[in-house]
Amino acid sequence: MHVCETVTCVCVCVSLVVEEKELRVLIQGPADRGITFLSFFFCHLSLLLPIFLSFFCLSFSLSVSVSVSLSLSLSLCVGDGNAKMSNVYINNSHGVDDDDFYDRNLALFEEEMDTRPKVSSLLNRLANYTNLTQGAREHEEAEISSDGYVHGSPQMGTFMGVYLPCLQNIFGVILFLRLTWVVGTAGVLQALCIVFICCCCTLLTAISMSAIATNGVVPAGGSYFMISRSLGPEFGGAVGLCFYLGTTFAGAMYILGAIEILLMYIAPWAAIFVSSSPDGEGAAMLNNMRVYGSIFLLLMALLVFVGVKYVNKLASVFLACVIISILSIYTGALVSAFISTNQIILLGNGTVPSTFDPSLPSSEATTALWLQFCEGPDLNASCDYYFNLSNISEIPGIPGLSSGVITENIWSVYLSKGDVLEKGSLPSPRPVHPPTNRLPYVFADITTSFTLLVGIFFPSVTGIMAGSNRSGDLKDAQRSIPIGTIMAILTTSLVYLSSVVLFGACIEGVVLRDKFGDSVKGNLVVGTLSWPSPWVIVIGSFFSTCGAGLQSLTGAPRLLQAIAKDNIIPFLRVFGHGKANGEPTWALLLTALIAELGILIASLDLVAPILSMFFLMCYLFVNLACALQTLLRTPNWRPRFSYYHWTLSFLGMIICLALMFISSWYYAIVAIVIAGMIYKYIEYHGAEKEWGDGIRGLSLSAARYALLRLEEGPPHTKNWRPQLLVLLKLDEDAYVKSPRLLTFASQLKAGKGLTIVGTVITGNYLHSYGEALAAEQTLKHQMDKEKVKGFCQCIVANKAREGISHMIQSSGLGGMRHNTVVMGWPLAWRQSEDPQSWKTFINTVRVTTAAHLALLVPKNISLFPGNSEPCGEGYIDVWWIVHDGGMLMLLPFLLRQHKVWRKCAMRIFTVAQMEDNSIQMKKDLATFLYHLRIEADVEVVEMHNSDISAYTYERTLMMEQRSQMLRQMRLSKSDREKEAQLVKDRNSMLRLTSIGSDDDEDTDGGGGPTGNAEKGGGAAGGRERDGGMSASENRRVHMTWTKEKALQYRATHSGCSTPEGFRDMDHSNVRRMHTAVKLNEVIVNKSHDARLVLLNMPGPPRNPAGDENYMEFLEVLTEGLERVLLVRGGGSEVITIYS
């Protein structure tokens, strides 16, 4: 707010407009532009190919940059799984000027500024957010280029940061090597069903993942962090290791796919092992795969070890290869409508390898095919019976779109191992040909079934978490991850579904079922469809599989390193160490060894179901995490992505579980057993499991175990919810005086968490035992009436304040203890001759503060709505003056979950002082709320340092006179009456001699020391009233100073700082009263029509001698407000921006 006087009004207005525009962009984000661009991309995919190529070439000159942001000393920023609480408030002793403690506008809060900083101080430290989690070194330092320039904050958007990486990871080896075989075996209909089920599984998982990813700032760490922080260390460790194993075996699968392309289609002559007989060809091929796979794995591991930046630079080239290959398939499908290519040879209806001459034997010579079926080259040699009865024919292997071959490929043709690939529409001399490798047919290499094909195809839809794994590099992860991931899944699903239809409509069925392309001259089957040459697909698929393998070998060690650094699995600690720059050397070594196990299997069809199990296990728990968070309704569960539902997550979980057992039931059992063993190891590490006997014993053991687990430490910030201790007071007839306190508690809890309702009976426990039981029954009846689920407690004590203190200390069991105390405002405390009511109130405030418990004090509780009285549209106003843990942010969110407050919007006001930049504060506060996923209007109220008004002085004088009266309460009745008369006479003399007084301009005030704030608020903060007050009230208080008089006096007596007659007062009380008056003015001005006002409750004075004044300060602070909730934090952070 320091604005030079020389700056013109026009410049100020322009700056305000610019800030507002920036704020709107910050809150809303460029969603429309991103969606429009993606739509343009889908509609003009073929036209964007040159742009892709140029963009990928340009990316070679770019290096990955990770911003190093300002780390916060607030546990608000804690995102790790260690639920250990520390001092969560900002220690601003080094950054707060001494004058701030004596700020006139915040004098009520000056004694607690060391633990409850001003909001402006908090926002200054939250101005720069970071995606780093405290205490975790898995996040790399910002790379410094050769010129020494340190890159700024992450700037990757949705397209480059999420969409393209997901495309690269989803499109893989299965699309090029196995999809045609899946279509030919299962038929078009069942293949569409397989693709649709798998894509639905990943889409539902992506929806659940988007909800988790947008539930706070996503730390760099991806899916493991999302799962572990949502389901806890046990599930997180189990699923994290499953995801790690799946990623590692995926690397092995990609390497095997690359070797298969190399040895089958690029360089068959490079085979080391060659079999002399057809029966040994399979074993020789497996040995070749093992040798070359091990060599490739070693080279890739060395490349990853040398530098990940080279892998990231090559990623764009690999992705370009994938896109070019897919475009060539679509182009070839269109060309096939006009040209039929790739003739295949059929003997009868059986497929013969294309290496043989298809010409029929002439009268003079025989062919090579004759030699395979006959005993000699002579024309009269004895030949195979089937050979003699069958004709040799040639048909196009790629009939084209217009051929109608899709009618033959629409149904499934499942084969057993060794069966000949036959064209069903051609006649055969006998129904079944005996399977033998000695005759030159094309045989099925494995027995196929629907379940097998599901397990083999599913890895082609994995890779949906590539965007979340890059969350640390994204400009706005909460917006980019859902949009980019879901759009990538929709894109790949469209490509897969259209490819199934195109393959079935363009390629002959026997060619589709020919896994290795023996019938089409040993070419890759999908390559025969591509245009202009099969080498486009061969080269493109080879490089894409190599790139996918490198990405797996890059991501898996980092995932293992993150798990090891979390220290949830002790025997993995060694893998948390690495090179000086953080590279996971030991984790890379273990990853290479596990990948070698997959390579030794040497069969792509056998490795694919294994990694399908692990990925499905991971996706299952992602859906489980989202469903549980939604059903439990934890306060921290506020995803910005709103298009989710627990039923969708539950459906995704069922599909994942079904796919696991459909594809391979024994692999599914193995994966579940592995995950269960890891879970139990983490859960019971270092502790013995104790079982009871019978159902009751089991229940007691589970309850005891849960309580002991809760006892281990305070809950993490994300799991914090108000566990209430509601203090009620009973009247003489043992009825609850303020039942609306229970109503408010039920609205705040919505049936979740712990609620303890307690009351104190004064007396001796031996004589009041029956009364205590009756009071307990009364509380239970009232709880049932208000539908409050919880426990009740009645304590008998000699003094009420002692009983309340004992209840606050002893309520609860183990970890099931309250963290928030709710009590009512003492009614008519001014009129009461017994000071015990308000003294008990202040003592309770001190006890809750000492116990580090939160405190909620609803004022005017009788005006709060009941459960059957929903509030109409209005506002819940939050006046955030000092930061004491975030309770003010959390409470409105919890209240709005209840039907009573659901229609109320949320407004947040904060106070800016002279030295604060109010525009920047508003921008920082809006950013803070955006990361908290809380929708609220933001307003910064500027409070200038104004002179203390004469009204404030007189109000302070009246308060001190009342305090003096209260100190005389212990006198006899006659002495008290005399003391009261002396005070009254002194007031009369003061009014006669008061500076600037005018009897003709006296106004009646309702905010005096004997005004009852519980019976309705006044207008304009209670300082100016209408003339409708009763005569008794007029006699009660005479307010001789009005605002007009104060302004007039200030203009004529500006040189005098303190009016005459008020100079003997305690100046600290004057400053505190000034704070209460000024804050009340702005609060009433802004929130007079609010349904509920939440306000920081100042702490009681450290000197108990000023307790009477403290009550008056609170009364003035809340004067003129209908419903007020005074809030004090408990010394711990209760809300977090992290997931």
Side-chain angles (χ1 to χ4, degrees), residues 23-132:
L23 185 61
R24 285 196 297 269
V25 172
L26 175 67
I27 294 176
Q28 297 173 0
D32 297 334
R33 295 197 298 273
I35 296 175
T36 303
F37 182 75
L38 289 177
S39 302
F40 176 84
F41 169 73
F42 292 131
C43 297
H44 305 277
L45 184 62
S46 60
L47 298 178
L48 285 177
L49 178 60
I51 300 177
F52 274 124
L53 296 178
S54 62
F55 187 79
F56 294 137
C57 294
L58 179 63
S59 65
F60 276 108
S61 63
L62 300 179
S63 61
V64 179
S65 64
V66 181
S67 69
V68 181
S69 303
L70 177 66
S71 61
L72 305 178
S73 62
L74 193 62
S75 72
L76 177 78
C77 303
V78 174
D80 55 17
N82 299 327
K84 296 181 179 179
M85 305 300 293
S86 59
N87 185 13
V88 297
Y89 296 129
I90 296 176
N91 181 9
N92 57 346
S93 60
H94 62 280
V96 179
D97 196 5
D98 291 341
D99 294 338
D100 289 345
F101 289 99
Y102 302 99
D103 197 322
R104 289 177 177 176
N105 295 327
L106 296 178
L108 273 176
F109 303 92
E110 65 186 17
E111 291 186 350
E112 298 180 307
M113 282 293 183
D114 55 341
T115 58
R116 287 172 167 82
K118 291 193 302 184
V119 174
S120 58
S121 301
L122 174 74
L123 292 177
N124 285 336
R125 288 161 175 79
L126 294 177
N128 293 320
Y129 288 95
T130 173
N131 281 342
L132 308 183

Side-chain angles (χ1 to χ4, degrees), residues 891-907:
L891 292 176
F893 170 78
L894 296 177
L895 286 174
R896 291 176 62 196
Q897 305 304 306
H898 197 273
K899 62 180 180 180
V900 171
W901 304 95
R902 189 163 296 159
K903 295 183 179 180
C904 294
M906 184 176 170
R907 294 188 302 192

